[in-house]
């Protein structure tokens, strides 16, 4: 059997999600020996010997460091975070699980069971061709936490610099930047320090932009 280490943190909701994942694996697979550990065990001692895979929820509170270490040592990791539909943690909510990646950047054939449970609550607009869309070019910078995780704290600066070199002022005047209203700020270890409030009083809605 392979050894899967599931890391918990001080966050109650995160731990509930990890618990559900562990129960699902334990019930439906006989290929994994699953062990739950507090993330502080990793921060103090690293991964246990013979770890084949880890599972974490989010990148804060040390879990991001664990993912980075797994990548470095070529250990499989299962990353859990907000779902693409019905994101959030109130009531019945969805989470996504990605293996060895941060987001799902591909599409494959799946059955309709999951989609059928939420499609009545979600309105999917038809794809708009260029002539039907607005002229704005939206840039939505990654949060401070994501910049830390991907070691790219100059992402926004570099994107603007690249665009300004490639395009004229007419193009650049169409660029609008939309930052996350509550930007999670982390230290060099991925520990959450707090949230930076971004003023949005005079900002147009996403649909208007």
């Amino acid at each position: 059997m392979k050894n899967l280490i599931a890391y918990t943190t001080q966050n109650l909701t995160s731990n509930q999600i990890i618990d559900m994942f562990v129960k699902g694996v334990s019930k439906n697979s006989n290929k994994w020996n699953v062990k739950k550990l507090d993330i502080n065990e990793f921060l103090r001692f690293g991964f246990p010997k013979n770890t084949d895979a880890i599972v974490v929820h989010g990148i804060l509170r040390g879990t991001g460091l664990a993912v980075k270490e797994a990548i470095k040592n070529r250990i499989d990791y299962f990353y859990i975070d907000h779902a693409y539909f019905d994101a959030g943690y109130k009531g019945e909510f969805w989470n996504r699980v990605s293996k060895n990646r941060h987001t799902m950047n591909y599409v494959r054939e799946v059955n309709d069971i999951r989609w059928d449970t939420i499609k009545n609550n979600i309105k999917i607009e038809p794809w708009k061709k260029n002539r039907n869309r607005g002229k704005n070019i939206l840039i939505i910078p990654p949060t401070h936490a994501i910049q830390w995780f991907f070691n790219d704290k100059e992402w926004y600066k570099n994107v603007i610099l690249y665009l300004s070199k490639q395009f004229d002022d007419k193009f650049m005047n169409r660029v609008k930047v939309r930052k996350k209203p509550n930007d999670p700020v982390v230290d060099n270890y991925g520990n959450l320090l707090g949230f930076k409030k971004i003023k949005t009083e005079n900002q147009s809605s996403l649909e208007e932009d």
Side-chain angles (χ1 to χ4, degrees), residues 10-11 19-21 24 43 46 78 92 100 102 108 114 116 119 138 140 151 159 172-173 176 178 181 191 208:
Q10 297 86 5
N11 185 278
D19 283 342
M20 287 187 283
F21 185 90
L43 297 176
F78 295 93
E92 292 188 2
N100 293 336
H102 184 257
R108 62 181 176 85
R114 294 182 179 181
D116 287 341
K119 66 181 181 182
L138 304 186
I140 305 177
N151 300 314
V159 166
M172 293 303 297
N173 287 335
K176 296 195 70 175
R178 297 183 60 93
N191 295 310
E208 289 175 322

Side-chain angles (χ1 to χ4, degrees), residues 143-182:
T143 64
H144 185 269
I146 292 297
Q147 292 177 64
W148 164 81
F149 181 73
F150 286 103
N151 300 314
D152 198 354
K153 295 181 179 180
E154 301 295 326
W155 184 91
Y156 168 66
K157 177 181 177 181
N158 291 334
V159 166
I160 294 297
L161 184 62
Y162 173 81
L163 291 176
S164 63
K165 289 181 178 180
Q166 299 294 321
F167 301 99
D168 57 19
D169 290 342
K170 183 179 179 181
F171 177 94
M172 293 303 297
N173 287 335
R174 295 166 55 196
V175 173
K176 296 195 70 175
V177 178
R178 297 183 60 93
K179 295 183 178 181
K180 190 172 184 177
N182 293 313

Side-chain angles (χ1 to χ4, degrees), residues 60-75:
L60 302 178
R61 306 175 185 89
T63 54
L65 284 176
V67 172
K68 289 186 176 188
E69 188 68 15
I71 295 171
K72 178 181 176 182
N73 290 282
R74 298 184 179 180
I75 293 174

Side-chain angles (χ1 to χ4, degrees), residues 30 50 56 62 70 75 102 110 121 145 162 164 180 183-184 186 191 200:
N30 57 4
N50 298 323
V56 299
I75 293 174
H102 184 257
V110 295
N121 300 324
Y162 173 81
S164 63
K180 190 172 184 177
D183 189 1
V186 301
N191 295 310
T200 59

Side-chain angles (χ1 to χ4, degrees), residues 99-162:
K99 180 183 179 183
N100 293 336
R101 60 184 69 223
H102 184 257
T103 57
M104 182 177 177
N105 59 0
Y106 63 92
V107 177
R108 62 181 176 85
E109 291 295 324
V110 295
N111 62 49
D112 295 332
I113 294 176
R114 294 182 179 181
W115 173 245
D116 287 341
T117 64
I118 62 169
K119 66 181 181 182
N120 292 330
N121 300 324
I122 295 173
K123 183 180 179 182
I124 303 296
E125 299 285 352
W127 183 260
K128 292 182 180 180
K129 295 184 178 180
N130 197 49
R131 64 177 179 271
N132 299 322
R133 294 200 298 262
K135 299 297 183 182
N136 291 335
I137 299 167
L138 304 186
I139 294 180
I140 305 177
T143 64
H144 185 269
I146 292 297
Q147 292 177 64
W148 164 81
F149 181 73
F150 286 103
N151 300 314
D152 198 354
K153 295 181 179 180
E154 301 295 326
W155 184 91
Y156 168 66
K157 177 181 177 181
N158 291 334
V159 166
I160 294 297
L161 184 62
Y162 173 81

Side-chain angles (χ1 to χ4, degrees), residues 9-66:
T9 65
Q10 297 86 5
N11 185 278
L12 179 61
T13 300
S14 178
N15 291 347
Q16 290 173 337
I17 293 168
I18 289 294
D19 283 342
M20 287 187 283
F21 185 90
V22 168
K23 289 177 181 177
V25 172
S26 299
K27 182 178 179 180
N28 295 287
S29 176
N30 57 4
K31 297 179 180 179
W32 292 98
N33 175 38
V34 188
K35 183 178 182 180
K36 279 198 306 181
L37 290 177
D38 187 277
I39 193 63
N40 287 312
E41 290 291 313
F42 162 74
L43 297 176
R44 292 172 187 164
F45 310 112
F47 298 134
K49 188 177 180 180
N50 298 323
T51 296
D52 296 296
I54 66 167
V55 55
V56 299
H57 178 256
I59 60 171
L60 302 178
R61 306 175 185 89
T63 54
L65 284 176

